[in-house]
Amino acid sequence: MSGMASEHNNSSQEEYIPHYLQKEDPFASKLSREADIIAGFYLTIIGILSTLGNGYVIFMSSKRKKKLRPAEIMTVNLAVCDLGISVVGKPFSIISFFSHRWMFGWIGCRWYGWAGFFFGCGSLITMTAVSLDRYLKICHLSYGTWLKRHHAFICLAIIWAYATFWATVPFAGVGSYAPEPFGTSCTLDWWLAQASVAGQAFVLSILFFCLLFPTAVIVFSYVKIILKVKSSTKEVAHYDTRIQNSHILEMKLTKVAMLICAGFLIAWIPYAVVSVWSAFGRPDSVPIQFSVIPTLLAKSAAMYNPIIYQVIDCKLACCRSGGLKAKSSLKKSR
């Protein structure tokens, strides 16, 4: 009986046909024209705000590029990744939504899927590096004394190499990029897991190295930071004003990093859940109308970070101005 069951499973895997091969036109939209127009307007707004916001962050950073600290260099790299998603990817999907079909064929589909995965993976690994930087800076104070700018550039080289490797692996024959079930966007071919054991291994590798492992590092780093802050708050209170101010600044930078990571994960985790369900659940078990919502949410992740930068920068400016006023009044009283 077990042998018959295994033969049935193997035959079902061999007989499985992905959604993009079941119909003659895999790029025709499966949504209503009204839904496509709404999605197109949504992505247009997201794309404009993301391009302007991240472009502004990069422009302002370029003015003081020689004075950027290692943590700031990583922040600029995150803005570059977000800008890349907006400039390289969003026009393809916006045009396709308004056209009610994917307009760029298989070559454009594979390029769009590669670019989205490349910049998305780069963003997540950059945030992983930032979380580690915050963890070592807060929990291991001696780390901050030796970290220099060239260490940050070495880290950037590793991040881009990592993203390039995993985004290019599907072209080596172990995976692929394919149209989404709703037809007007492209992504990793999660449905290979339904077809073969090799496809399952490919999907699991992508999930572990490009989502689960980086997310685990981020969560570990910030949990350790929170525990460290709770235990050291009373100790810092006994130090002089300069050390207290330095501690406050480091904690504000840590809050920025935590907000950025939280925004990214909130945007991408629903998409990851739907993708895993599509890969390992029953074929076509995710309704097409439902699958488009996590996709649109994930595409909005690049818009959040510039807003977080500006809000925190305003607070830091207020704190600095307040600190300067306090110092000047202290000098006058002396």
Side-chain angles (χ1 to χ4, degrees):
M1 293 292 290
S2 61
M4 293 176 62
S6 62
E7 288 178 4
H8 174 72
N9 290 335
N10 290 334
S11 62
S12 64
Q13 281 190 339
E14 292 175 359
E15 293 172 0
Y16 172 72
I17 300 176
H19 65 87
Y20 51 86
L21 295 180
Q22 293 176 2
K23 298 180 180 180
E24 294 182 0
D25 188 359
F27 299 123
S29 176
K30 312 305 185 296
L31 303 174
S32 66
R33 186 171 293 276
E34 292 77 13
D36 276 335
I37 291 174
I38 292 173
F41 275 116
Y42 170 80
L43 288 181
T44 300
I45 295 171
I46 294 295
I48 292 173
L49 293 177
S50 176
T51 301
L52 293 176
N54 289 291
Y56 176 76
V57 171
I58 295 171
F59 173 73
M60 295 303 294
S61 300
S62 66
K63 287 187 172 183
R64 48 187 297 269
K65 56 185 177 182
K66 294 184 179 180
K67 297 181 180 179
L68 291 176
R69 295 179 299 172
E72 293 173 316
I73 293 173
M74 304 303 293
T75 301
V76 173
N77 189 65
L78 187 59
V80 170
C81 291
D82 291 340
L83 184 64
I85 293 175
S86 301
V87 174
V88 175
K90 292 237 177 4
F92 287 82
S93 53
I94 290 171
I95 293 171
S96 296
F97 273 115
F98 281 126
S99 301
H100 197 51
R101 62 174 287 108
W102 179 258
M103 298 295 294
F104 305 98
W106 278 104
I107 294 177
C109 181
R110 294 186 178 101
W111 159 251
Y112 177 86
W114 180 90
F117 186 51
F118 172 72
F119 288 114
C121 182
S123 294
L124 182 57
I125 303 304
T126 300
M127 284 185 283
T128 305
V130 170
S131 68
L132 280 174
D133 171 78
R134 293 292 88 204
Y135 163 68
L136 294 173
K137 188 81 172 181
I138 301 297
C139 301
H140 301 277
L141 299 179
S142 60
Y143 162 78
T145 61
W146 62 263
L147 183 66
K148 305 299 181 185
R149 283 167 57 92
H150 68 271
H151 294 121
F153 289 115
I154 292 173
C155 188
L156 290 185
I158 295 173
I159 290 170
W160 288 112
Y162 193 92
T164 301
F165 173 78
W166 286 108
T168 310
V169 160
F171 294 127
V174 295
S176 182
Y177 293 100
E180 299 266 17
F182 50 87
T184 47
S185 181
C186 294
T187 184
L188 278 168
D189 193 347
W190 302 102
W191 302 271
L192 284 173
Q194 300 280 355
S196 66
V197 175
Q200 293 176 359
F202 163 73
V203 171
L204 289 173
S205 298
I206 291 291
L207 286 173
F208 179 78
F209 289 104
C210 300
L211 180 63
L212 297 180
F213 177 68
T215 302
V217 173
I218 290 171
V219 172
F220 167 81
S221 299
Y222 290 123
V223 168
K224 296 293 287 185
I225 288 171
I226 292 170
L227 295 175
K228 180 67 175 179
V229 169
K230 285 185 176 180
S231 64
S232 63
T233 301
K234 294 181 180 179
E235 298 177 7
V236 174
H238 297 291
Y239 296 149
D240 60 31
T241 305
R242 185 175 60 182
I243 295 178
Q244 289 179 6
N245 291 338
S246 176
H247 178 75
I248 291 172
L249 179 60
E250 290 298 335
M251 290 314 303
K252 285 187 179 294
L253 292 173
T254 303
K255 289 178 182 178
V256 173
M258 290 178 69
L259 286 172
I260 290 171
C261 292
F264 184 90
L265 294 176
I266 290 171
W268 277 97
I269 284 179
Y271 178 78
V273 170
V274 171
S275 298
V276 172
W277 186 262
S278 300
F280 297 100
R282 291 184 297 105
D284 304 324
S285 58
V286 180
I288 292 176
Q289 290 76 9
F290 179 76
S291 67
V292 71
I293 297 174
T295 302
L296 295 177
L297 180 62
K299 292 179 187 298
S300 68
M303 181 187 68
Y304 305 146
N305 296 341
I307 298 174
I308 296 172
Y309 300 150
Q310 295 307 312
V311 171
I312 300 298
D313 279 347
C314 290
K315 290 184 177 181
L316 285 175
C318 292
C319 291
R320 286 167 186 158
S321 62
L324 290 173
K325 290 179 181 178
K327 287 181 181 180
S328 61
S329 62
L330 182 61
K331 288 180 180 180
K332 290 179 180 177
S333 64
R334 285 179 180 177

